[in-house]
Amino acid sequence: MEKNTIETKVMEIFEHLHTHPEISWKEIETTKYIENILKENGCRVRTFTDCTGVIGEIGNGKPVVAIRADLDALWQEVNGEFQANHSCGHDSHMTMVLGVLLSIKEMGEIPNGTIRFIFQPAEEKGTGALKMIEENVVDDVDYLYGVHLRPVQEVENGMATPALLHGAARHITGVIQGEDTHGARPHLGVNAIEVGTELVQKLNHIHIDPLIPHSVKFTKFLAGGESSNIIPGNASFSIDMRAQTNEMIEKLTTSVQEAVQSVSDYYHVPINLSIESMMASAIVDPQAQEFMAESITKVLGKENLVDPLITTGSEDFHFYTLKKNHIKASVLGLGCDLKPGLHHPNMSFDHKMLIPGVEILTNTVLKTLEHLTK
């Protein structure tokens, strides 16, 4: 398969994935489509009985270098209609990782060691990587790489960063459990809206080390019904927390729990909290970052190599290194004129950057294997 043929195939793959989005844990047809491509290109393939996702392998034995892509699309309103939508670029991530397979197969001789292609479900839920870890997908992995498109505000078109320093995130839901009372008799109950207001004030007064970026805020609060003469005793809410380190997100979680408990005690009303999802902050290996930087320089030129990027977003990729600390990892951040931004329903990017992305990742995987087998 010549270079022009690979480029054509890569674009065909992207077009298919882009026009067939599927939401988290329901990436059934996406899994089948990728499984077929893996098998057509000589991979040993593994699927799962209780979840979506697919693993492909070429080569044999140690070392094991893996590259991961995320399968799922977002569910969001697009032009007035709710639908699955690849506004986070996962269609491009899958395409580039498949492009790595096509490129390596074209070389004819597979290097010593194993190259593992991990197509992981449910990144947007923050639970897909944890499921792959539970399935022992990365137990023997030495180096692990990923890729994520970057918005134009972070990395300009034609440039790339060898490491994305995502922060940690945690999402908490809560329920205030009281009883409704008559609007004329507020003394007979507790107004859940007043409890919620107090909670907002408590969260605003959480003070932790200001040198480590962090934030906590309400993102939803629902109370009351159609009757304006009823004081609501019940309410539900959501809290979004962000922090640049895994240690800080733990401190922030403890502070939120303490604040909620103090309001609960003051108003004598139960407030139950549940952690709905979480993301780990980046743990980047210097050698993995260096391999990626060398590959960016080779493909795009030194002038287009950007320093490691601290970003306010989060990625469940980093659970792999948090839970399996033997893994050396880094995530490529690819500048591709992405506008207006990630998760925007009408997100667009320069599709021509898919090919340089493939080349950078291919070079990184091969460079890593060469280093490990010297």
Side-chain angles (χ1 to χ4, degrees):
M1 192 182 294
E2 297 179 356
K3 182 175 181 180
N4 288 343
T5 307
I6 291 177
E7 291 182 7
T8 300
K9 183 61 176 174
V10 164
M11 292 305 177
E12 288 175 356
I13 291 171
F14 173 76
E15 182 62 24
H16 175 88
L17 293 170
H18 181 71
T19 54
H20 294 80
E22 295 178 300
I23 60 174
S24 303
W25 296 122
K26 296 182 180 180
E27 313 96 328
I28 297 169
E29 296 304 319
T30 304
T31 295
K32 291 178 181 177
Y33 176 77
I34 293 173
E35 180 184 0
N36 287 335
I37 294 176
L38 293 173
K39 287 180 176 178
E40 288 170 1
N41 286 277
C43 286
R44 301 184 298 277
V45 172
R46 175 187 176 189
T47 54
F48 306 93
T49 58
D50 60 347
C51 71
T52 47
V54 57
I55 312 300
E57 276 189 359
I58 55 175
N60 290 283
K62 295 286 282 180
V64 179
V65 176
I67 181 167
R68 169 270 201 181
D70 24 25
L71 301 178
D72 53 333
L74 290 158
W75 182 257
Q76 64 183 157
E77 187 174 358
V78 182
N79 301 323
E81 181 179 346
F82 277 92
Q83 63 187 63
N85 187 37
H86 272 304
S87 57
C88 200
H90 294 184
D91 47 359
S92 69
H93 304 165
M94 290 182 278
T95 299
M96 284 185 275
V97 172
L98 287 170
V100 173
L101 170 61
L102 297 177
S103 299
I104 292 174
K105 288 292 290 183
E106 175 63 16
M107 295 173 186
E109 185 176 345
I110 299 171
N112 292 330
T114 299
I115 302 173
R116 183 171 299 154
F117 303 91
I118 300 171
F119 293 90
Q120 172 215 301
E123 189 279 331
E124 296 295 350
K125 294 291 187 181
T127 47
L130 291 171
K131 177 59 177 176
M132 295 297 98
I133 292 167
E134 179 186 313
E135 294 288 345
N136 305 313
V137 166
V138 294
D139 283 3
D140 59 348
V141 169
D142 298 291
Y143 278 76
L144 174 66
Y145 295 104
V147 58
H148 207 303
L149 304 184
R150 299 324 300 160
V152 69
Q153 298 92 337
E154 290 186 351
V155 181
E156 293 182 23
N157 193 23
M159 296 184 172
T161 177
L164 291 176
L165 305 180
H166 289 102
R170 195 161 290 180
H171 303 106
I172 291 178
T173 59
V175 177
I176 300 168
Q177 295 181 308
E179 294 182 348
D180 292 354
T181 53
H182 196 293
R185 302 174 183 86
H187 61 291
L188 297 181
V190 175
N191 189 333
I193 297 174
E194 292 178 1
V195 176
T197 301
E198 185 68 21
L199 285 173
V200 171
Q201 294 302 314
K202 283 285 186 183
L203 297 192
N204 287 341
H205 288 91
I206 290 176
H207 297 297
I208 309 178
D209 188 352
L211 294 178
I212 302 175
H214 62 276
S215 69
V216 55
K217 59 276 185 189
F218 267 71
T219 53
K220 182 180 77 171
F221 190 87
L222 300 175
E226 294 185 5
S227 300
S228 59
N229 63 344
I230 295 177
I231 298 171
N234 298 293
S236 62
F237 58 87
S238 297
I239 296 173
D240 176 278
M241 295 184 291
R242 308 275 168 166
Q244 199 57 50
T245 67
N246 292 312
E247 294 75 18
M248 177 59 79
I249 202 73
E250 294 297 338
K251 291 180 181 178
L252 201 57
T253 301
T254 299
S255 295
V256 168
Q257 291 169 335
E258 291 173 348
V260 171
Q261 187 61 52
S262 70
V263 173
S264 175
D265 292 342
Y266 180 79
Y267 282 96
H268 304 290
V269 62
I271 305 175
N272 297 322
L273 297 179
S274 299
I275 295 177
E276 292 299 304
S277 64
M278 60 181 73
M279 297 282 198
S281 67
I283 303 171
V284 178
D285 177 75
Q287 185 63 73
Q289 177 182 311
E290 182 58 30
F291 289 147
M292 191 76 78
E294 291 174 6
S295 298
I296 292 170
T297 299
K298 180 178 179 179
V299 175
L300 299 178
K302 188 174 182 179
E303 68 279 9
N304 292 313
L305 173 64
V306 179
D307 289 339
L309 177 70
I310 296 176
T311 176
T312 54
S314 56
E315 239 283 359
D316 85 340
F317 177 95
H318 306 298
F319 277 124
Y320 292 112
T321 46
L322 178 67
K323 300 294 185 179
K324 301 290 182 179
N325 58 19
H326 69 277
I327 296 175
K328 299 176 174 63
S330 193
V331 178
L332 169 67
L334 189 66
C336 53
D337 200 33
L338 191 155
K339 297 175 181 176
L342 292 167
H343 290 206
H344 189 282
N346 301 120
M347 182 274 275
S348 65
F349 71 96
D350 182 1
H351 296 173
K352 293 193 295 293
M353 286 303 296
L354 288 171
I355 302 305
V358 169
E359 293 172 354
I360 292 167
L361 292 170
T362 302
N363 194 269
T364 301
V365 169
L366 295 177
K367 186 181 291 290
T368 305
L369 277 175
E370 180 184 357
H371 168 80
L372 293 173
T373 55
K374 279 183 179 178

